[in-house]
Amino acid sequence: MAECVRLDSSTSSHTMDKSITLPPDEIFRNLENAKRFAIDIGGSLTKLAYYSTVQHKVAKVRSFDHATKEAASDKLYEISVQEEVTARLHFIKFENAYIETCLDFIKDHLVNTDTKVIKATGGGAHKFKELIERKLGLKVDKEDEMTCLIKGCNFVLRNIPHEAFVYAKHADSEFRFQTTQPDIFPYLLVNIGSGVSIVKVESEDKFERIGGSSIGGGTFWGLGALLTKTKRFDELLQLASKGQHTSVDMLVKDIYGGSYGSLGLTGDLIASSFGKSATADKEFSKEDMAKSLLHMISNDIGQLACLYAKLHNLSRVYFGGFFIRGHPVTMHTITYSINFFTKARPQLSVFISFSLINGEVQALFLRHEGYLGAIGAFLKGAEEDNPNQYSWGENYAGSSGLMSVSPDMNPMQRARSGTFDMLEMDRLERQLVNLPLLQDPSSYIPDTMDLTEDALAREYWLYCFEEALDGVVKRAVASQPDMPEAAQRAEKFRQKYRHKLQTLRQQPFAYGSLTVRSLLDTREHCLNEFNFPDPYSKIKQKENDMALKYYQKAVKSLEELSWEQRQFALVRGVLAGNVFDWGAKAVSDVLESDPEFGFEEAKRQLEERPWLVDSYDQWFERLKGPPHKCALFFVDNSGVDIILGVMPFVRELLSRGTEVVLASNSGPALNDVTNGELQILTERIAAMDPVIHRLDKVLAMVVRERQTDLVIIEGMGRAIHTNYYAMLSCESLKMAVIKNSWLADRLGGKLFSVVFKYEVPAGKPSQHSAALSPL
Amino acid sequence: YNVHSGTEISHTMDKSITLPPDEIFRNLENAKRFAIDIGGSLTKLAYYSTVQHKVAKVRSFDHATKVNRDDKLYEISVQEEVTARLHFIKFENAYIETCLDFIKDHLVNTDTKVIKATGGGAHKFKELIERKLGLKVDKEDEMTCLIKGCNFVLRNIPHEAFVYAKHADSEFRFQTTQPDIFPYLLVNIGSGVSIVKVESEDKFERIGGSSIGGGTFWGLGALLTKTKRFDELLQLASKGQHTSVDMLVKDIYGGSYGSLGLTGDLIASSFGKSATADKEFSKEDMAKSLLHMISNDIGQLACLYAKLHNLSRVYFGGFFIRGHPVTMHTITYSINFFTKGEVQALFLRHEGYLGAIGAFLKGAEEDNPNQYSWGENYAGSSGLMSVSPDMNPMQRARSGTFDMLEMDRLERQLVNLPLLQDPSSYIPDTMDLTEDALAREYWLYCFEEALDGVVKRAVASQPDMPEAAQRAEKFRQKYRHKLQTLRQQPL
């Protein structure tokens, strides 16, 4: 198996060429410990799913035993790299033409002999059963197609952020992604395969096919083939995208000479699909007929979907199936049709009354729609592993992303996307839930700025991340001084991440909404992929050690201030500490050139009041009131930030009688303090400072148990890029220093401008008026 | 007099035919209030006339003064009476010019200044009508006319609505006229589909529609089969097998899809087989598949709208339906499939006249036609043709040429006897001869047998009139012809 590797060529697929060779490590990854295979064979595409475990390196910190080795080292903790095993789900999609080659490849690389069964679904499961059993030596176990589809749909809606999107052809951003909702039910799934199935999904296990239609993708294909003599589905769509339906369709104005006002029908409305071909003796172009056919079918399905949605009081309608599958033309016509039948027609009083109750019916599409069946079949087979119990995250490094398949824009990429396409999901260590303190979890959108919708911001951030790449690579190599091949791996990382950035520049919506957060996540996924679990571990260690030396001195000088002065100094301390951030380019330049850049210097750099966003006075007034019961503090960076900025602030809260829960990242991200590091730091500070003691519990539980009434969010990442607009059900304090001149500009500030946002939720009386004297 | 003659009509635009004036455009001499509905292929003309006819009156003798003069209790006299009559005539657009000329020649009532017009063609033929008739064309909203006409026939014509059942003993099952006709859903299948909810005489709303209608069947059918005539397309469809073109559930799953309750014979994808099969498909099969696709779709939409609006009566009309058993069958099938019997697909005997009736009513509003009861004049109306192409190709063609409906104003408005327990379920006739073939045979035989006697009586009743025998003979011929028609087409 060597010959020619043609993964992303524009030839592909239709030649039934079995001689292609697959680059094993790029597509069918981790086959050596794969298990729980599932396959979904459709009319033209095969989707394969399996479960594997991935070994990867994680950086761990371990406290030195200070009792015995006090003098041995200056270091607070040691860093070690350990192997960890993560569960990963792999989903691969390829054209049926490659099925035999793929099966051969899998057979060759499958070493896990425990696997006896492969779950199969889809119309083709039936047809290829014998081939699969013979090639793989596995027993094919067929699963119900609709059940798999629904199971898969529930899974992606629950687990993949920005899975669902609204399509808007003429908007600034073609795709508008929906935030993941905690409550996904009930919804309507309209699956447009050869025919149409309309399924109402009420819960994980309860769904019902409430309707369907024989006018579906097969009708477009079949009638299209008869009318245009074009046998390929994609070519028919291509024809349709170039045609004019008005030469074939009879419009309202063709009958009435204009609009039919009394019925509210505009002149351009199609009165009769193909109505002109009934009597005209001319020849019609293939393009025009294909377009008319597409309109006819999309409108019909859209109308049926709307009617069923209304009959069953459902406002969320997801469309899937091969007719839709990433085809902008069909997404556009379906969306148009849904909009038409719901809101564009005020004279339809029934629709208005419905939309008043339920909100409008929205046509939603899914990024991973093609994988639903395979995911569902896999889940059926993996039920004993309880995959629904965990949270799964899309691995941006291993997933292909959504392609812009507009035939005009990217014919090449369309071909590629049609060949091999991958989705990988990693099991997250713990289930992710929304913070219980959010005012309205269903409307919570963490990211402040959607870069898919903001071209200027996107340009800027992509540029930033690309600029910073060299630095990250350097850090990564430096973090593993003992490993000679680190440079080589770092280079591979550089290439992969740069490629992702380039993809995102062309197709910003490839992984859902593009945000600063997703760019950071993508970088972490890529770093992990090449075994750089924490490139900043050494730097963080050095900074933590250094900062810790000044802790007591800092606390002492604060205690000498008056109460009033101290409150302000504490806030300035947190803000100054937050300047120490390797993620921000303006700062990493200074830090690298001048490692002595000190805390005091940072304070001097801070903007003078009034700050860009300044609610310090309200905060100060609040402090005069009774203490909070419990504060939840989301911390940001290692070193000066956490130790000299945050800890003294926390200390003050504690002395007021407020319990404090510190929340930090579970995994590394630049110089953010990780949970492991934070635990050691707190322990160490607690040892020096009796005011500080440690908490360690599952956050969400703690928050509820302690009746948290103050949330403090620190740093650009959590307080500005995300959560800036997040409304909490208790008081909140968002503090950050803007260490990015572009962002500062956007927000109307300048470099090192301060955001200090103190908010009390509406309806909650602020408590400071109750107690006028300081405690 | 070539009107009833045959299959070759309309498309030749032959203007040389002559119309038998007294048989089609009757009573033109005192006609007024013209209305015209010009559709894509058929023109419907409506007018109002008054008919003089003889009525037999009885008068009591004045017994006080003339007691002994005569033994007779009362005397009989024949008097002339004038009745209002509505005339509706339908003919192919090809004849429109000839018809207009004819009307002009016979129109003596100079009071008429205006002709109400509706339908898509009103627009196109406006200038021609104004020039030919010298009347001003006054356009009326198509949908309003349609609904007005529909309300009128539902209220006035007994057994107007019927259910179609292809395989039942009687193809048509008529519904009794209901005092309360509202609310109902009207699905008008012309080139496209309009779905209208009618709540009262004056309140209706187009709640939906679809671009997949009769024009789609015709247009796509023409492209697929190179057959340009609508009727021929239907004929093709009636001979085809849709299963060779459509992908059935069993073609995908090898049988039924039990867990979803889909039977193996259900169409999964219309034209699904033509997507990948490399063979040629027959015109008949493609036409059949297309007919199923469109009928099912309309049926489904109608059902969904009916359910959304809680309506159980759904009337279908428009040229796609107009007396075509094939389309009535597929629509009925689709409705039954989607509603499992909850909603009935109803068709109308005079569906083709609705627009013309409505336009006429708009023009006659000052005469308050809705205030009276009108009865179908069986002598002057053509009746519904059994248009199954296999059965009666000749009559189908005839029906497409000239077709008439005449309604006489009844002296007083008919209402149900207030003592009826449930007026809405009251069916006056004990036996429906359309559903009972043996009884029908018997009674038709009876009436024919009795005809000679009736003719004899008729002549004897007018001993003073020498031409009575001749008129009686004309009556015999006409009634016998009606009886023969009814034997062949009981409906």
Side-chain angles (χ1 to χ4, degrees):
Chain A
M1 48 151 300
E3 300 92 14
C4 51
V5 180
R6 302 209 56 144
L7 230 199
D8 53 357
S9 74
S10 51
T11 67
S12 78
S13 74
H14 312 291
T15 53
M16 291 294 280
D17 178 1
K18 302 280 169 48
S19 70
I20 58 136
T21 308
L22 308 165
D25 55 340
E26 288 198 16
I27 292 169
F28 298 99
R29 311 204 313 170
N30 298 72
L31 270 179
E32 47 290 352
N33 46 30
K35 56 178 188 168
R36 309 216 178 285
F37 280 85
I39 195 163
D40 171 16
I41 310 181
S44 50
L45 293 173
T46 297
K47 282 77 66 174
L48 184 79
Y50 56 91
Y51 173 97
S52 79
T53 46
V54 191
Q55 277 221 334
H56 61 111
K57 291 188 166 45
V58 284
K60 293 275 179 188
V61 289
R62 197 165 60 103
S63 188
F64 286 113
D65 189 345
H66 291 272
T68 58
K69 297 182 185 174
E70 192 98 17
S73 168
D74 266 354
K75 285 176 181 150
L76 178 63
Y77 56 84
E78 63 177 348
I79 302 166
S80 64
V81 171
Q82 293 175 13
E83 294 282 331
E84 217 179 60
V85 173
T86 309
R88 180 171 288 178
L89 305 181
H90 300 256
F91 302 99
I92 300 120
K93 183 163 71 182
F94 50 88
E95 304 213 10
N96 287 355
Y98 297 116
I99 196 165
E100 217 171 323
T101 323
C102 289
L103 290 175
D104 283 339
F105 177 82
I106 294 165
K107 180 64 189 165
D108 290 347
H109 291 77
L110 195 63
V111 285
N112 183 333
T113 49
D114 288 353
T115 304
K116 299 271 187 293
V117 164
I118 180 165
K119 290 281 175 188
T121 190
H126 179 75
K127 192 170 147 199
F128 289 98
K129 182 174 186 289
E130 197 271 329
L131 181 77
I132 298 169
E133 296 198 331
R134 181 162 47 80
K135 290 276 180 188
L136 296 186
L138 300 176
K139 191 179 158 293
V140 168
D141 197 359
K142 273 199 276 185
E143 287 292 336
D144 179 71
E145 196 173 343
M146 193 57 74
T147 309
C148 291
L149 192 72
I150 304 297
K151 259 196 175 322
C153 192
N154 293 340
F155 185 81
V156 297
L157 284 176
R158 220 197 318 266
N159 286 287
I160 307 191
H162 298 154
E163 176 60 30
F165 61 91
V166 168
Y167 184 80
K169 188 182 179 185
H170 302 294
D172 267 358
S173 92
E174 228 176 332
F175 304 85
R176 206 165 310 129
F177 294 93
Q178 311 291 299
T179 47
T180 318
Q181 302 271 323
D183 191 11
I184 60 171
F185 303 110
Y187 65 86
L188 198 66
L189 179 66
V190 180
N191 192 51
I192 315 175
S194 305
V196 180
S197 278
I198 299 176
V199 187
K200 175 184 176 180
V201 185
E202 285 180 277
S203 71
E204 189 58 54
D205 297 308
K206 192 174 171 205
F207 68 87
E208 188 191 357
R209 184 187 191 275
I210 55 171
S213 168
S214 72
I215 305 184
T219 312
F220 176 71
W221 199 349
L223 267 176
L226 291 173
L227 292 171
T228 67
K229 312 289 168 216
T230 304
K231 281 282 176 194
R232 295 209 44 222
F233 183 75
D234 284 2
E235 278 174 36
L236 279 169
L237 279 181
Q238 194 108 10
L239 283 178
S241 70
K242 292 186 222 143
Q244 283 295 328
H245 75 102
T246 50
S247 61
V248 186
D249 290 344
M250 188 178 282
L251 308 185
V252 166
K253 68 181 171 197
D254 293 323
I255 303 178
Y256 300 102
S259 68
Y260 192 150
S262 68
L263 297 183
L265 308 175
T266 61
D268 282 331
L269 191 73
I270 305 175
S272 174
S273 292
F274 287 90
K276 281 183 185 153
S277 62
T279 46
D281 258 332
K282 61 173 219 173
E283 285 282 308
F284 295 93
S285 83
K286 291 179 178 190
E287 288 81 1
D288 293 351
M289 289 189 291
K291 180 64 162 257
S292 174
L293 192 60
L294 179 68
H295 274 274
M296 176 180 107
I297 293 170
S298 301
N299 285 338
D300 190 54
I301 297 171
Q303 173 159 224
L304 287 174
C306 263
L307 288 170
Y308 280 106
K310 284 174 198 308
L311 263 177
H312 294 262
N313 265 330
L314 302 167
S315 59
R316 274 173 291 186
V317 182
Y318 298 102
F319 287 86
F322 83 79
F323 185 66
I324 293 295
R325 210 144 291 168
H327 299 300
V329 207
T330 61
M331 290 193 281
H332 173 64
T333 51
I334 291 270
T335 303
Y336 177 85
S337 162
I338 289 275
N339 289 342
F340 176 82
F341 288 111
T342 57
K343 61 186 163 194
R345 317 197 54 203
Q347 73 278 15
L348 304 187
S349 61
V350 56
F351 286 143
I352 293 169
S353 62
F354 267 101
S355 62
L356 282 177
I357 301 164
N358 298 307
E360 281 145 5
V361 176
Q362 231 179 7
L364 294 163
F365 304 94
L366 300 172
R367 280 204 293 145
H368 299 101
E369 184 281 316
Y371 290 110
L372 302 186
I375 294 175
F378 169 80
L379 291 173
K380 285 292 276 186
E383 263 161 6
E384 64 198 62
D385 290 338
N386 274 326
N388 267 327
Q389 223 174 51
Y390 302 100
S391 278
W392 297 83
E394 181 175 9
N395 184 314
Y396 295 131
S399 302
S400 316
L402 181 71
M403 288 298 148
S404 178
V405 285
S406 164
D408 308 326
M409 281 175 59
N410 295 301
M412 288 291 287
Q413 269 141 350
R414 167 86 195 102
R416 177 199 168 293
S417 149
T419 316
F420 284 92
D421 200 90
M422 284 136 51
L423 165 66
E424 288 184 8
M425 299 182 75
D426 289 341
R427 189 166 80 197
L428 307 179
E429 272 171 70
R430 47 192 73 80
Q431 204 163 359
L432 296 182
V433 294
N434 276 328
L435 184 67
L437 297 174
L438 282 171
Q439 220 171 57
D440 177 10
S442 68
S443 71
Y444 172 62
I445 300 171
D447 302 291
T448 308
M449 204 185 293
D450 184 347
L451 301 182
T452 48
E453 291 184 11
D454 186 335
L456 279 178
R458 179 170 72 234
E459 272 306 304
Y460 172 77
W461 283 108
L462 287 171
Y463 171 81
C464 267
F465 276 88
E466 200 155 341
E467 278 290 281
L469 188 53
D470 282 345
V472 175
V473 168
K474 228 164 81 182
R475 285 287 134 230
V477 177
S479 72
Q480 299 180 345
D482 312 335
M483 299 187 175
E485 26 60 77
Q488 205 181 330
R489 270 188 288 121
E491 194 47 43
K492 278 191 183 165
F493 154 75
R494 184 211 301 274
Q495 282 170 17
K496 181 146 199 168
Y497 189 61
R498 182 174 286 152
H499 180 78
K500 291 269 166 192
L501 288 176
Q502 278 161 0
T503 305
L504 286 168
R505 184 162 285 137
Q506 284 173 10
Q507 293 143 9
F509 38 76
Y511 299 94
S513 282
L514 181 64
T515 61
V516 176
R517 181 169 60 110
S518 72
L519 282 169
L520 285 167
D521 284 350
T522 308
R523 184 161 70 188
E524 291 312 318
H525 290 163
C526 290
L527 281 166
N528 278 330
E529 170 102 13
F530 296 100
N531 277 323
F532 292 108
D534 191 355
Y536 287 80
S537 56
K538 288 275 193 302
I539 288 178
K540 287 189 287 182
Q541 187 186 36
K542 198 172 124 198
E543 287 174 355
N544 285 334
D545 287 342
M546 217 172 67
L548 203 57
K549 290 189 180 128
Y550 294 99
Y551 173 74
Q552 276 169 316
K553 193 180 159 203
V555 168
K556 191 160 177 286
S557 66
L558 282 164
E559 297 220 300
E560 285 162 4
L561 298 172
S562 71
W563 183 84
E564 195 165 85
Q565 286 172 323
R566 187 162 71 246
Q567 301 315 314
F568 186 61
L570 285 168
V571 167
R572 286 195 79 213
V574 171
L575 293 168
N578 196 243
V579 171
F580 289 79
D581 183 353
W582 282 92
K585 194 173 177 300
V587 175
S588 65
D589 284 351
V590 183
L591 280 174
E592 229 164 343
S593 64
D594 180 12
E596 293 301 316
F597 181 75
F599 192 36
E600 293 308 315
E601 174 64 23
K603 284 182 190 164
R604 274 193 293 278
Q605 291 273 356
L606 278 185
E607 182 188 23
E608 287 302 320
R609 285 193 68 199
W611 296 320
L612 181 60
V613 176
D614 191 339
S615 33
Y616 177 76
D617 292 343
Q618 290 96 303
W619 171 245
F620 181 69
E621 281 304 310
R622 172 62 186 88
L623 288 177
K624 293 179 188 165
H628 296 92
K629 284 197 188 69
C630 174
L632 171 63
F633 199 141
F634 288 92
V635 301
D636 191 8
N637 304 309
S638 282
V640 173
D641 188 345
I642 178 75
I643 296 167
L644 301 182
V646 173
M647 282 303 183
F649 190 95
V650 167
R651 189 177 187 278
E652 181 75 15
L653 288 173
L654 291 168
S655 0
R656 283 167 57 84
T658 302
E659 284 188 283
V660 180
V661 179
L662 293 179
S664 65
N665 286 356
S666 50
L670 300 171
N671 67 330
D672 284 9
V673 62
T674 63
N675 199 251
E677 292 159 353
L678 184 61
Q679 284 189 28
I680 293 170
L681 288 174
T682 337
E683 216 169 295
R684 184 77 181 102
I685 291 170
M688 302 189 292
D689 185 342
V691 182
I692 308 265
H693 54 267
R694 227 190 87 220
L695 268 183
D696 181 22
K697 262 199 181 170
V698 179
L699 186 59
M701 240 167 65
V702 170
V703 164
R704 276 194 212 98
E705 277 173 11
R706 308 277 162 141
Q707 298 176 286
T708 302
D709 53 357
L710 172 66
V711 171
I712 304 170
I713 304 175
E714 182 214 6
M716 283 210 303
R718 278 205 187 87
I720 297 178
H721 295 324
T722 64
N723 298 316
Y724 189 69
Y725 298 115
M727 295 301 292
L728 296 155
S729 59
C730 62
E731 291 168 58
S732 64
L733 194 52
K734 293 166 188 166
M735 290 186 277
V737 177
I738 304 174
K739 291 156 285 187
N740 171 301
S741 53
W742 182 87
L743 184 66
D745 223 43
R746 253 230 171 173
L747 297 174
K750 50 190 192 303
L751 203 60
F752 301 122
S753 272
V754 167
V755 170
F756 186 91
K757 197 179 186 187
Y758 169 64
E759 289 170 303
V760 180
K764 231 174 213 183
S766 149
Q767 291 164 330
H768 74 269
S769 54
L772 293 169
S773 58
L775 291 174
Chain B
Y1 293 85
N2 200 16
V3 171
H4 295 191
S5 80
T7 52
E8 186 269 321
I9 40 164
S10 75
H11 310 289
T12 54
M13 292 294 279
D14 179 2
K15 303 278 167 51
S16 70
I17 58 139
T18 310
L19 305 165
D22 56 338
E23 288 198 16
I24 293 168
F25 297 100
R26 313 206 312 172
N27 297 71
L28 270 179
E29 46 291 353
N30 45 28
K32 56 177 189 169
R33 307 215 180 286
F34 280 84
I36 194 162
D37 172 16
I38 311 180
S41 50
L42 292 174
T43 297
K44 281 77 66 175
L45 184 79
Y47 56 90
Y48 175 97
S49 77
T50 46
V51 193
Q52 278 219 336
H53 60 111
K54 292 184 166 48
V55 283
K57 291 275 181 185
V58 289
R59 196 167 61 104
S60 184
F61 288 112
D62 188 346
H63 291 275
T65 59
K66 301 180 183 177
V67 165
N68 297 322
R69 234 193 75 175
D70 200 332
D71 263 356
K72 286 175 181 153
L73 178 63
Y74 57 83
E75 62 175 350
I76 302 166
S77 66
V78 171
Q79 293 176 13
E80 292 286 328
E81 217 179 58
V82 173
T83 309
R85 180 172 286 176
L86 305 182
H87 300 256
F88 302 100
I89 301 116
K90 184 163 69 181
F91 50 89
E92 304 211 10
N93 288 354
Y95 298 117
I96 196 164
E97 221 172 321
T98 322
C99 289
L100 292 175
D101 284 337
F102 178 84
I103 293 165
K104 181 64 189 165
D105 291 346
H106 291 77
L107 195 63
V108 282
N109 183 334
T110 49
D111 288 353
T112 303
K113 299 270 186 294
V114 165
I115 180 166
K116 291 283 177 188
T118 188
H123 176 77
K124 195 171 146 196
F125 290 98
K126 181 175 187 288
E127 198 270 330
L128 181 76
I129 298 168
E130 296 197 331
R131 182 163 45 80
K132 290 275 182 190
L133 295 188
L135 299 176
K136 190 177 160 294
V137 168
D138 196 1
K139 272 200 275 183
E140 288 293 335
D141 180 71
E142 193 173 346
M143 193 57 75
T144 307
C145 291
L146 193 71
I147 303 300
K148 260 198 175 319
C150 194
N151 293 340
F152 185 82
V153 298
L154 284 175
R155 219 198 319 266
N156 287 287
I157 306 190
H159 297 156
E160 175 60 31
F162 62 89
V163 167
Y164 184 82
K166 189 181 176 185
H167 301 296
D169 265 359
S170 93
E171 227 176 331
F172 304 86
R173 203 165 311 129
F174 292 95
Q175 311 291 298
T176 48
T177 318
Q178 302 270 323
D180 190 12
I181 60 170
F182 304 108
Y184 65 87
L185 198 66
L186 178 65
V187 181
N188 192 51
I189 316 174
S191 304
V193 180
S194 278
I195 299 175
V196 186
K197 176 185 178 180
V198 185
E199 286 180 276
S200 70
E201 189 58 52
D202 297 307
K203 192 174 171 205
F204 69 88
E205 189 187 1
R206 184 186 192 273
I207 54 171
S210 167
S211 72
I212 304 184
T216 312
F217 175 71
W218 198 350
L220 266 176
L223 291 172
L224 292 171
T225 67
K226 311 290 169 214
T227 304
K228 281 281 176 193
R229 296 210 41 222
F230 183 73
D231 285 1
E232 277 174 37
L233 280 169
L234 280 181
Q235 192 110 9
L236 282 177
S238 68
K239 293 187 218 142
Q241 282 296 326
H242 77 100
T243 51
S244 62
V245 186
D246 289 343
M247 189 178 281
L248 308 185
V249 167
K250 67 183 171 197
D251 294 323
I252 303 177
Y253 299 101
S256 68
Y257 192 149
S259 69
L260 295 184
L262 307 175
T263 61
D265 282 331
L266 193 72
I267 305 175
S269 174
S270 293
F271 288 88
K273 280 183 185 153
S274 62
T276 45
D278 259 330
K279 63 174 217 170
E280 286 282 309
F281 295 93
S282 82
K283 290 179 179 189
E284 287 81 1
D285 293 351
M286 290 189 292
K288 179 66 163 255
S289 174
L290 191 61
L291 178 68
H292 274 273
M293 176 180 108
I294 293 170
S295 300
N296 285 337
D297 189 54
I298 296 171
Q300 183 172 18
L301 288 173
C303 278
L304 288 169
Y305 280 106
K307 277 191 201 165
L308 260 178
H309 295 262
N310 266 324
L311 301 168
S312 57
R313 274 172 291 185
V314 182
Y315 298 101
F316 287 87
F319 84 78
F320 185 67
I321 293 296
R322 209 145 291 167
H324 300 299
V326 204
T327 60
M328 287 194 281
H329 174 64
T330 50
I331 289 276
T332 301
Y333 180 87
S334 165
I335 290 280
N336 289 341
F337 177 83
F338 287 110
T339 66
K340 301 173 184 86
E342 282 167 49
V343 172
Q344 258 191 342
L346 294 163
F347 304 94
L348 300 172
R349 279 203 294 147
H350 299 100
E351 186 281 317
Y353 289 110
L354 303 186
I357 294 175
F360 170 79
L361 291 174
K362 285 291 276 187
E365 263 161 8
E366 62 199 62
D367 292 339
N368 276 325
N370 267 326
Q371 223 175 52
Y372 302 100
S373 278
W374 298 83
E376 182 175 7
N377 182 314
Y378 296 131
S381 302
S382 316
L384 182 70
M385 289 296 148
S386 178
V387 286
S388 163
D390 306 328
M391 281 175 59
N392 294 300
M394 290 288 286
Q395 269 140 352
R396 167 85 195 101
R398 177 200 167 293
S399 148
T401 316
F402 284 92
D403 201 272
M404 284 132 55
L405 165 65
E406 289 185 6
M407 299 181 75
D408 290 342
R409 190 166 79 197
L410 306 179
E411 274 172 70
R412 47 192 74 79
Q413 202 165 0
L414 296 182
V415 293
N416 278 324
L417 182 65
L419 300 175
L420 281 170
Q421 211 170 59
D422 178 7
S424 70
S425 71
Y426 170 63
I427 300 170
D429 302 294
T430 310
M431 206 184 295
D432 183 347
L433 301 184
T434 52
E435 289 182 15
D436 186 336
L438 278 178
R440 182 168 70 232
E441 272 306 306
Y442 172 76
W443 284 107
L444 287 171
Y445 174 79
C446 274
F447 276 90
E448 200 156 341
E449 277 291 282
L451 187 54
D452 281 345
V454 174
V455 168
K456 232 161 80 187
R457 287 284 133 236
V459 176
S461 74
Q462 299 178 344
D464 312 334
M465 300 186 177
E467 28 57 78
Q470 205 182 329
R471 273 189 290 116
E473 192 45 44
K474 276 193 185 167
F475 153 73
R476 184 212 300 277
Q477 282 170 17
K478 184 149 194 168
Y479 189 63
R480 183 175 285 152
H481 181 77
K482 291 270 167 192
L483 288 176
Q484 277 160 1
T485 304
L486 285 169
R487 181 163 287 134
Q488 281 173 11
Q489 295 145 8
L491 329 145

